Amino acid sequence: MSLSAAVLPAAGSSPSPSPSPTAPAVPSLQDAQESATNAAGWVEENWSTWLAIGLRVLLIMVIAAVLRVVVRRAITKLIDRMNRRAGTGASTALSGLLVNAERRRQRSEAIGSVLRSVASFLILGTAALMVLGTFQINLAPLLASAGVAGVAIGFGARNLVTDFLSGVFMILEDQYGVGDSIDAGVASGEVIEVGLRVTKLRGDNGEIWYVRNGEVKRIGNLSQGWSTAGVDVTVRSDEDLDKVKESIAAVGERMSKEEPWNEMLWGPIEVLGLDSVLLDSMVVRVSAKTMPGKALTVERELRWRIKRAFDAADIQIVGGPEIPGQTATAADPTAGVAAPSAYASTVSPQSIAASPIPPTSTTK
């Protein structure tokens, strides 16, 4: 028998496959049934726990959502009620210095936005911690890490925290609002935007100042309450004071009855009296209470009217034209000329004595 015939399989027989060492073992039906039975048993044992955790999480979320809606609505109603009480003149902690309805609306929106944001943060943050506790997550390391991170952020961003807190109290106390003219120390001008961190001012020359709320140590609001218009009238010392007072009083009475000055003037124009008396002049002080921010306008108009009234009444203001008939004494043209000197004449003894001696010539 040959070697090739020996290795060939017999006719009609198939070679048996050799098992591959890397082929995965095919699970049998019995193994699959056993795995399904174990999974079903594990689900049956833990479904009640899962249901309890799911219901607890759902309950926490529903309570947090309802509480958030209720608190936000309560804050809105509280702000609206304070605005109504401020409009009727009642005094509250948040309605001390309100100017008009638009100012109250802007301020209520800012205060309501801050309070609603704080309430939402507290409610949702508490709900998130309760949900994590429901899943049996240890909150101690998380809270400790949050505390350390909060301290680090507080030290690094203390200026930001200061600006934010200062902005909150500025809004709550209504120290100023959009449209007010204020003097913040570091800058002054008209407020064009009030933020929790930065206040924007427009200066007298049109420039815009960005003032951090934490840097403001004092604020002078020129648009709240009332302003005072003061005018100093300087007249000659020989003028009749009663005539001067009557002229100014007549100007004030006419001005208080004309528009738009009757709205800008919140009190009568008063002659306070003599502010100073000198040898050749005296200063009469005139004052009036005006609408906030309108003092300069009233002062200019009042000076204009007083000047015209004085011209009509022949009252001389210091620096004005001279009174007719009053002539000044002519100045002596020789008053500034010095006396003649003895040295001016070349033949005077003093001039001859001061002249140099001519040199003498010698003959050989």
Side-chain angles (χ1 to χ4, degrees):
M1 157 189 279
S2 65
L3 181 60
S4 60
V7 296
L8 289 175
S13 65
S14 61
S16 60
S18 59
S20 175
T22 60
V26 179
S28 61
L29 181 60
Q30 183 178 0
D31 295 337
Q33 290 179 353
E34 184 177 357
S35 300
T37 303
N38 294 335
W42 184 77
V43 171
E44 185 178 0
E45 291 177 359
N46 297 283
W47 74 271
S48 58
T49 304
W50 291 353
L51 182 60
I53 293 176
L55 291 177
R56 190 176 301 175
V57 171
L58 181 61
L59 181 62
I60 292 174
M61 295 178 63
V62 170
I63 292 176
V66 173
L67 184 62
R68 179 173 177 267
V69 172
V70 171
V71 171
R72 289 170 65 91
R73 190 168 297 176
I75 292 174
T76 302
K77 291 183 178 180
L78 177 63
I79 297 299
D80 293 340
R81 185 172 63 181
M82 287 183 178
N83 289 335
R84 289 195 298 269
R85 294 177 64 182
T88 57
S91 176
T92 61
L94 297 178
S95 61
L97 297 172
L98 297 178
V99 178
N100 49 33
E102 181 65 20
R103 175 72 172 273
R104 288 196 299 269
R105 185 189 64 80
Q106 294 177 356
R107 181 165 168 260
S108 63
E109 289 181 357
I111 295 175
S113 176
V114 173
L115 295 180
R116 284 190 291 268
S117 299
V118 172
S120 298
F121 176 77
L122 293 177
I123 294 173
L124 297 180
T126 304
L129 293 178
M130 294 177 66
V131 169
L132 293 178
T134 303
F135 286 103
Q136 304 298 327
I137 297 176
N138 189 9
L139 299 179
L142 180 62
L143 294 178
S145 302
V148 173
V151 172
I153 294 175
F155 277 107
R158 58 185 180 273
N159 292 332
L160 181 62
V161 175
T162 302
D163 297 339
F164 180 82
L165 294 178
S166 299
V168 170
F169 282 105
M170 285 178 182
I171 294 176
L172 290 177
E173 297 173 359
D174 192 29
Q175 298 179 7
Y176 54 81
V178 176
D180 289 352
S181 296
I182 66 171
D183 181 3
V186 295
S188 60
E190 181 182 353
V191 179
I192 59 177
E193 183 178 343
V194 179
L196 293 178
R197 192 183 70 87
V198 175
T199 298
K200 293 173 64 175
L201 304 176
R202 184 177 297 278
D204 297 335
N205 297 325
E207 70 277 9
I208 296 180
W209 299 96
Y210 294 85
V211 181
R212 288 171 42 198
N213 295 330
E215 293 182 349
V216 179
K217 304 302 180 183
R218 63 166 180 83
I219 296 176
N221 197 325
L222 307 179
S223 299
Q224 290 184 356
W226 44 269
S227 300
T228 302
V231 176
D232 293 333
V233 182
T234 305
V235 297
R236 297 182 183 273
S237 58
D238 56 353
E239 293 290 345
D240 187 1
L241 290 177
D242 294 334
K243 185 178 180 181
V244 171
K245 186 175 182 179
E246 291 176 0
S247 300
I248 297 176
V251 169
E253 185 177 358
R254 289 194 303 268
M255 185 174 176
S256 60
K257 295 180 181 179
E258 298 178 2
E259 293 183 356
W261 312 110
N262 54 357
E263 297 180 359
M264 297 183 184
L265 289 172
W266 286 9
I269 298 177
E270 301 177 351
V271 180
L272 301 182
L274 290 177
D275 193 65
S276 64
V277 179
L278 302 177
L279 292 176
D280 57 347
S281 65
M282 54 185 177
V283 179
V284 181
R285 182 71 175 177
V286 183
S287 177
K289 186 182 293 185
T290 68
M291 182 186 298
K294 300 298 182 180
L296 186 59
T297 304
V298 173
E299 288 177 1
R300 291 170 177 170
E301 181 67 18
L302 193 58
R303 291 190 186 97
W304 181 283
R305 292 173 178 253
I306 289 176
K307 177 61 173 62
R308 294 179 62 182
F310 280 7
D311 292 342
D314 292 333
I315 298 176
Q316 299 298 320
I317 299 177
V318 172
E322 296 182 355
I323 301 176
Q326 182 179 0
T327 58
T329 304
D332 186 6
T334 63
V337 179
S341 175
Y343 295 96
S345 177
T346 57
V347 296
S348 63
Q350 292 84 354
S351 178
I352 295 174
S355 61
I357 300 174
T360 59
S361 60
T362 58
T363 57
K364 294 182 180 181

